[in-house]
Coordinates of all heavy atoms in Angstrom, one line a residue:
Chain B
G83 N 6.2 14.6 19.2 CA 6.1 15.9 19.8 C 6.6 16.9 18.9 O 6.6 16.7 17.6
Q118 N -4.4 24.4 20.9 CA -4.2 24.0 22.3 C -3.1 22.9 22.4 O -2.3 22.9 23.3 CB -5.5 23.4 22.9 CG -6.4 24.5 23.4 CD -7.7 23.8 23.8 OE1 -7.8 22.7 24.3 NE2 -8.8 24.6 23.5
S144 N -21.4 25.4 4.3 CA -22.0 26.7 4.6 C -22.7 27.3 3.4 O -23.8 27.8 3.5 CB -21.0 27.7 5.2 OG -20.5 27.2 6.4
E162 N -17.7 18.8 14.6 CA -17.9 20.2 14.9 C -17.8 21.0 13.6 O -18.5 22.1 13.6 CB -16.8 20.7 15.8 CG -17.1 20.4 17.3 CD -16.0 20.9 18.2 OE1 -15.5 22.0 17.9 OE2 -15.7 20.2 19.2
K211 N -27.6 4.2 -4.0 CA -29.0 4.5 -4.3 C -29.4 5.9 -4.3 O -30.5 6.3 -4.6 CB -29.9 3.8 -3.2 CG -29.8 2.3 -3.3 CD -30.4 1.6 -2.0 CE -29.8 0.3 -1.7 NZ -29.9 -0.1 -0.3
K229 N 8.0 5.9 14.2 CA 9.1 6.1 13.2 C 8.9 5.3 11.9 O 9.2 5.8 10.8 CB 10.4 5.7 13.9 CG 11.7 6.3 13.1 CD 12.9 6.0 14.0 CE 14.2 6.6 13.3 NZ 14.3 6.5 11.9

Side-chain angles (χ1 to χ4, degrees):
Chain B
Q118 276 172 38
S144 300
E162 278 183 36
K211 293 170 208 153
K229 195 171 184 320

